[in-house]
């Protein structure tokens, strides 16, 4: 009985040993197989070998496209540029971007260049709370002046979708409404625009849209805004500061903020109420401004003019490829300066006490 037990245990142990030996050999064999399989994958088709997402997908990766961005090293010092010289207009920046003024372009020529490209232009506009009252005028005048004859998709972000006026749109033009939550703090409405534009681009526009412009709703069109404004990255010079020294621009001046610009830095003061460009460029801009805004907020700091400050900081490092003159965002309360031949788009006079939730 005792001897039998010993034999039985020996057999069991032997079996276990065999099992271990077998699985060891088998595993080794499997490892060899997997190496072989890996070696068989042609190097150029190994798409999973890294998952790096390019910030700006290069359409022609084979060519060296150095014009695809104009990034300037931080804190480079140089003389302040200007878009006017006495009563004359200046039509090019020091980094050789055109400054668009009436008389610098031929609209018929430009339209005929862009028409065969069959492009789609998106415009975003926010109408939250009382600002819904500006929407009809904005939309109706856009129909008369904004990329007339081109495919335009206007995206209205509002907390009152039912109040959006059903303005008649020309063939090929569409009005799209997106719901956003109401907000008590006005700074939040302003701040979250970047985030919502970023999300719109990611969720809806990447496949269908070529260019995008982000515009203030408290404004209306008076003259042509068309193909002359198209470019990779486009900013509008603010009508209020273009004759001032840059140390007087209302940039964010506290170094603690990610929107900080020193007194001897900066090119122009750009409008937060109108900017645009190629979809991928505006995507990167909104993503960056939003991230900087949120990182600031984490440290309890809010830039002087919220997203406008962050936009100006972005454009200081990432030079716009086209600069639109203040014809592209004037202010109705301002008298027309002599160099302004035409006002194309302008902010309407608003009664702040009436429209703002809490001032
Ligand atoms: C409300 C109070 C203070 C600041 C902004 C708002 C506000 C802005 C609002 O209640 N609802 C709203 O939709 N907005 C959107 O943000 C509008 O599209 C508006 O054009 C844009 C920027 O705000 P503005 O136009 O008051 O800023 P400024 O610098 O043109 O006066
Ligand atoms: Mn405005």
């Amino acid at each position: 009985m005792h001897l039998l037990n010993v034999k039985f245990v020996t057999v069991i142990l032997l079996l276990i040993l065999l099992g271990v030996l077998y699985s060891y050999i088998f595993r080794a064999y499997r490892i060899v197989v997997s190496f072989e399989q890996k070696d068989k994958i042609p190097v150029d088709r190994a798409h999973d070998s890294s998952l790096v997402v390019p910030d700006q997908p290069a359409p022609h990766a084979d060519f060296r496209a150095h014009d695809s961005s104009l990034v300037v090293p931080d804190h480079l010092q140089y003389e302040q540029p200007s878009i006017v010289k006495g009563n004359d207009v200046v039509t090019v920046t020091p980094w050789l971007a055109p400054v668009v003024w009436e008389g610098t372009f031929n609209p018929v020529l430009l339209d005929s260049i862009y028409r065969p490209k069959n492009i789609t232009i998106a415009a975003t506009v926010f109408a939250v709370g009382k600002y819904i009252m500006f929407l009809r005028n904005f939309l109706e005048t856009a129909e008369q002046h904004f990329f007339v004859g081109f495919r335009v998709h206007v995206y209205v972000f509002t907390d009152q979708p039912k109040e959006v006026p059903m303005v008649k749109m020309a063939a090929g033009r569409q009005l799209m409404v997106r719901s956003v939550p109401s907000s008590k703090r006005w700074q939040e409405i302003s701040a979250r625009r970047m985030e919502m534009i970023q999300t719109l681009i990611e969720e809806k526009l990447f496949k269908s849209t070529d260019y995008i412009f982000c515009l203030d709703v408290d404004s209306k069109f008076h003259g042509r805004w068309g193909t002359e404004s198209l470019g990779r990255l486009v900013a509008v010079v603010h009508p209020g500061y273009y004759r001032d020294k840059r140390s007087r621009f209302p940039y964010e001046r506290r170094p603690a903020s990610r929107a900080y610009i020193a007194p001897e830095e900066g090119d122009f003061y750009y409008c937060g109420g109108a900017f645009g460009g190629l979809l991928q460029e505006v995507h990167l801009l909104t993503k960056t401004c939003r991230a900087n805004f949120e990182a600031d907020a984490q440290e309890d700091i809010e830039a002087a003019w919220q997203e406008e400050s962050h936009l100006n900081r972005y454009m200081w490092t990432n030079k716009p490829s086209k600069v639109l003159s203040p014809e592209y965002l004037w202010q109705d309360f301002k008298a027309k300066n002599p160099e302004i031949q035409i006002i194309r788009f302008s902010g309407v006079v608003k009664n702040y006490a009436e429209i703002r939730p809490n001032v």
Side-chain angles (χ1 to χ4, degrees), residues 102-113 150 224 227-228:
E102 179 69 358
T104 59
F105 62 91
N106 181 330
V108 176
L109 171 62
L110 284 171
D111 281 0
S112 64
I113 289 170
F150 284 82
R224 176 194 163 97
T227 49
E228 74 283 359

Side-chain angles (χ1 to χ4, degrees), residues 201-213:
I201 293 174
E202 288 167 4
E203 286 179 358
K204 281 209 69 163
L205 306 190
F206 256 128
K207 292 213 178 82
S208 61
T209 306
D210 301 284
Y211 295 93
I212 181 169
F213 286 94

Side-chain angles (χ1 to χ4, degrees), residues 264-277:
E264 65 284 3
E265 295 178 345
D267 299 305
F268 310 112
Y269 191 76
Y270 299 111
C271 295
F275 58 89

